[in-house]
Amino acid sequence: MNGLFSAPLILAVCTHSSFADLVKRTSAAEVVIVVNSGGWGNIPIERCPEVLPIVKGIADYLDSCGWRVVVVPFSRAPVDSPATTPSPITQLITVAEMLSIHHSRARALVREIESLVQRNPDLRFVLLGISNGAVFVDQATGLLSPLADSRVVAIEIGPPSWHGRYKAENILQLDNEGQDPLTQGKFEEVFASLLGGFMKFAFNLFTGNPTRFEEIWHIPGHDYPWEAIRHKVCLFLSQSFN
């Protein structure tokens, strides 16, 4: 037990390598929550305050419904340590996938899911994506075969507006009731927050306290506290897992 969750949930930290082996070692699991954080998608869950409460809320709800759950973060950036900033080449590859120029990591995730579904047809998946992670989840969901698609639901939180969203009954997309400037394409607000983030980043660097840029860049309206989305998420899950 990791100590982060009250539900009987296994938290397996996944790097760029396959997470299928991790899931297979948890043979008692009935639902796999695959977590894709924002940014480069390589920050551990315990360092993502915007993600951790949502993951815990979903896991606790499914546990209360009698499902045995395993949480597996999926790293989109192939780095040695999830705590480090990806190399420029990796950043370029990751951005290219965000812009749908290629789908290499999304296809890798789909292969993992379909391999697990073939071995265990009763296994279910919740693909959870935040911000850039929501774009990735949307791309992966659109690539699933019909068999795997029937075992997967997706929760996409705050997907940026530049990505055309894949619409399906097994996808829940949240945009703060239209108040999220990133999902609505209000780029003047996004740019203002980006400028503020650069100023904080430069100040921290100058004062000898360097931080990851994505940890201090904050877009007002791009917040999704669990209590604000709990009803919609739990209703969606109850309808999907009936």
Side-chain angles (χ1 to χ4, degrees), residues 168-189:
E169 291 185 358
N170 62 335
I171 297 177
L172 174 66
Q173 295 170 336
L174 300 176
D175 63 0
N176 257 343
E177 308 298 336
Q179 300 304 306
D180 185 338
L182 193 61
T183 66
Q184 302 304 308
K186 297 179 180 178
F187 294 113
E188 67 284 356
E189 297 181 29

Side-chain angles (χ1 to χ4, degrees), residues 35-43 50-51 74 76 91 94-100 105-106 109 128-140 155-163 180 182-183 190 212-214 217 219 222 224:
V35 184
N36 272 274
S37 59
W40 302 112
N42 66 338
I43 301 178
E50 74 279 10
V51 176
F74 187 82
R76 301 191 300 280
Q91 292 180 20
T94 304
V95 170
E97 184 150 23
M98 291 178 196
L99 299 176
S100 298
R105 289 299 288 152
L109 174 59
L128 172 64
I130 312 292
S131 195
N132 288 335
V135 172
F136 182 83
V137 164
D138 198 70
Q139 292 170 336
I155 301 173
E156 302 169 5
I157 300 176
S161 62
W162 59 75
H163 174 69
D180 185 338
L182 193 61
T183 66
V190 175
R212 293 170 59 100
F213 180 72
E214 57 265 36
W217 179 26
I219 303 175
H222 195 53
Y224 291 84

Side-chain angles (χ1 to χ4, degrees), residues 5-34:
F5 300 92
S6 59
L9 173 149
I10 300 171
L11 177 61
V13 177
C14 176
T15 62
H16 188 60
S17 60
S18 166
F19 72 84
D21 291 337
L22 296 172
V23 176
K24 283 186 284 187
R25 289 203 298 269
T26 61
S27 58
E30 297 173 312
V31 180
V32 181
I33 303 174
V34 184

Side-chain angles (χ1 to χ4, degrees), residues 51-62:
V51 176
L52 183 58
I54 298 173
V55 176
K56 183 181 183 301
I58 293 174
D60 285 346
Y61 173 74
L62 292 174

Side-chain angles (χ1 to χ4, degrees), residues 19-20 23-24 26-33 67-70 112-113 115-126 147-148 150-152 241:
F19 72 84
V23 176
K24 283 186 284 187
T26 61
S27 58
E30 297 173 312
V31 180
V32 181
I33 303 174
W67 296 93
R68 294 189 295 272
V69 181
V70 58
E112 300 278 14
I113 292 173
S115 175
L116 289 165
V117 168
Q118 289 174 1
R119 290 178 172 83
N120 183 358
D122 294 327
L123 194 61
R124 291 172 176 260
F125 294 84
V126 176
L147 175 62
S150 66
R151 312 307 301 171
V152 171
F241 283 72

